[in-house]
Amino acid sequence: SHPLLCPPGIKCGGVLSAPSGNFSSPNFPGLYPYETECTWLIVVAEGSSVLLSFSHFELEYHDTCAYDYLQVYNGAARDRGNLLGTFCGHSPPPPFSSAWHVMAVVFRSDRHVAKHGFAAAYRKDACGGQLTGLSGEITSPRYPESYPNDAECRWSIGGAGGGGPLTLVFADFQMEGGQGCGFDYVALFDGPTVTAPGLGRYCGSARPPRTVSSTPHLLIIFKSDFNIGGRGFKAHFYSAGECQEVFTTIKGNFSSPQYPSFYPNNLKCQWSIQLPPGYRVKVFFLDMELEGRSSLTGGCDYDHLSAFDGGTENGSLLGQWCGRESLAPITSRSNRLLLVLHTDRNTAKRGFSISYVGVVPMNVSCTRTDFHIQIPVQSLAQLERNRIYLGTPSCAAQVVGRNFKIHTRFDTCGTESQRRNNTSVIVSTLYIDFSVGDQEDIHQYEVQCEPKRKEASVTLIAGPDPSRLSQAENLVDAQKWEGEAIDAREIKSQDTSDIVFISICILAGLLMVIAVVGLVLL
């Protein structure tokens, strides 16, 4: 038989809402039609998962499945963050268990070469299953209603191809308690079976701590006895090793999981930057594209990145962002800063790339003629004094007691006079050289003094590798003075206006000389 273009009346795709069922490619077991696209949406009772298996599979082969293919999605949305796999050729896909109560299957054929297609079966799994996605959600049976008595469920998570450790976070937890958790409990194992090392056994109403496996597999067992229940639990998992990180180095960079590819759905990732006392953290946003704002509220209700001062989510919120934004750098008020990425069940984007640098604690003061700079030695304990200098290496710091000190007159060390906001200021650059071997790493701070008022200030002007910062971000950073915005264009225009003013004065003087000479000659 010869394949045909899909006739208008042929059954292709649809919503499958029965507890179990079967579906297949059009014309199966005959050859499927050319230029066909079908989507099956499988929806079972909430709190359950979908078990999907294939009894026959034969599609046109291509090494990247670019021609005819079948895709399985973990949820309703057809976005790359939910994709469990793309398949073609003769090897059937493995059995799948969805991470929630919805699964989508998409079949597509092109205009050449048809095969016999596929036959699939699905059923509702009340609890447990083999979960292979990069991320997902699991709940106790009937959650948030009370779970049944005499239940036993096993969720085996792993084999997604990522190969990294798995993270499990409980969003809600309420079960029968008891000493030793002998009645109802959740048990976690660091591997695919109960013979693997235990990671904890939990009951009662206290949420279990965030758990990270040491292998690419995690086994979760839920068990209830014959009486007394509870609301149960809701947990998220993800296999993104770069999703939980702690940084203690003076500078660094990191990005969302799988950046610049689409990040997984259903994540809560945390990056904690913890620097020595006295330091502050300055964050540069190199690239950002998250799911956009809600059209209803105008807020970042779906996927968003938040920054908290002080290292915990209880700290003050420094900002929350979503969509595609070009952001100015932010600076913490303490030596700790926490960045948290939340993603929801659908619509993934490219994510973000971030660089940070520690702002060295220092005390800068000035008189009408001198700069005084003081930095605690313990903040730069690994540096020799000649690595800290003002303007030129010849103006290096001295060690006085527990501090690096620079005391210099305005007419030395590369200082220069400028006009900013119609005020004369003295400006120089402080260099702190963190370079190791061939890796150049010089941080620059602009120190400024207003001699009339004897007021000094300092601003980090270069920290992260400049090649990682776009020109626009450098401009934004150079114009931002720790809350006091100084417009570089304004400075430039003031300098230009000074030049124009001086030129007019010289020209007027010349004209006056010519006029006087003319009068004398007359």
Side-chain angles (χ1 to χ4, degrees), residues 416 418-423 425 427 446 448 478-479 481 485-498:
E416 59 180 59
Q418 293 183 5
R419 284 192 71 79
R420 293 184 175 176
N421 294 340
N422 290 323
T423 304
V425 294
V427 176
E446 187 171 81
Q448 173 186 310
Q479 292 166 16
W481 275 66
I486 294 178
D487 195 331
R489 287 163 297 190
E490 190 183 325
I491 296 164
K492 195 172 178 182
S493 67
Q494 286 167 4
D495 293 346
T496 309
S497 63
D498 288 349

Side-chain angles (χ1 to χ4, degrees), residues 2-47:
H2 294 284
L4 306 165
L5 286 174
C6 207
I10 198 162
K11 188 177 179 184
C12 172
V15 178
L16 307 174
S17 56
S20 63
N22 301 281
F23 59 100
S24 57
S25 50
N27 295 340
F28 182 83
L31 301 181
Y32 50 74
Y34 295 135
E35 294 190 299
T36 300
E37 184 165 323
C38 315
T39 299
W40 291 269
L41 192 64
I42 306 167
V43 183
V44 296
E46 199 154 356

